[in-house]
Amino acid sequence: GAAAKAATNFFASLPEVPGTGQLSTARVSLGTCVLFNMLNTAFMAHTNAVRFYNELENRSPKKFANVVAGAFGISALLYCLVMSAGYATFGGASQGLILNNYANSDVLATLARAATGVSILGSYPLLFTSVRDVLVSTLKSSKSLSGFGEKCAVPSSNAWKGLSMGVLGLI
């Protein structure tokens, strides 16, 4: 009703951002692929969903669903806000990584690039933990190595360290 009409009037009154006229839902480009890659990276923690569920205090499927929905909702909102602000700033000249639009001499952009690097490095343990957990599960089911037997809930310390170092070495 009234709220929808007010929102429509608000957005209709905003000036058009330069370069937005060429937008189309059917236009796919290299930039689209970059966007989807960034969205995939943004939500890559799904590989640890079982671990996150097991570590949830007073866990239940309903509580986990609420926590996940809230986290994804907040993440999606933040990504949309940043993406919209970047596009509003640079219009059709926006690059896939919006920080590339800023001059190298821009101190805040340089700090943002450094923060992006820290974020990428910080996400590595999430993926590594997932890979290691899958390998442990596979080795336990195949019973192919000592230290990963079926009756063993957690691999022995030496097996755990050896597997971790081996995977790191391969990577």
Side-chain angles (χ1 to χ4, degrees):
K5 185 176 179 181
T8 302
N9 289 338
F10 171 75
F11 287 109
S13 68
L14 292 174
E16 185 176 334
V17 175
T20 57
Q22 83 278 0
L23 291 182
S24 166
T25 56
R27 191 176 125 215
V28 178
S29 67
L30 183 58
T32 307
C33 296
V34 171
L35 172 64
F36 283 125
N37 185 43
M38 288 179 175
L39 292 173
N40 180 47
T41 303
F43 297 105
M44 70 182 172
H46 75 280
T47 57
N48 287 313
V50 173
R51 177 182 292 266
F52 294 154
Y53 178 80
N54 288 333
E55 292 177 358
L56 185 64
E57 190 172 307
N58 301 320
R59 67 182 174 263
S60 71
K62 184 176 180 177
K63 183 176 181 181
F64 185 67
N66 289 336
V67 169
V68 168
F72 271 82
I74 290 169
S75 294
L77 178 65
L78 286 172
Y79 274 89
C80 286
L81 287 173
V82 170
M83 184 172 54
S84 298
Y87 195 81
T89 302
F90 298 107
S94 297
Q95 294 185 33
L97 177 58
I98 204 69
L99 290 173
N100 290 341
N101 284 90
Y102 291 93
N104 290 333
S105 60
D106 187 321
V107 175
L108 291 177
T110 301
L111 290 174
R113 288 181 185 105
T116 300
V118 169
S119 173
I120 290 168
L121 289 174
S123 65
Y124 178 78
L126 289 173
L127 293 173
F128 178 78
T129 301
S130 179
V131 168
R132 187 180 57 201
D133 288 351
V134 168
L135 284 172
V136 168
S137 175
T138 302
L139 291 171
K140 285 171 81 171
S141 67
S142 71
K143 302 176 201 167
S144 59
L145 293 176
S146 61
F148 291 95
E150 185 180 301
K151 295 180 182 181
C152 179
V154 176
S156 70
S157 178
N158 287 337
W160 187 258
K161 289 175 187 174
L163 179 66
S164 296
M165 295 307 291
V167 171
L168 278 173
L170 284 172
I171 292 172

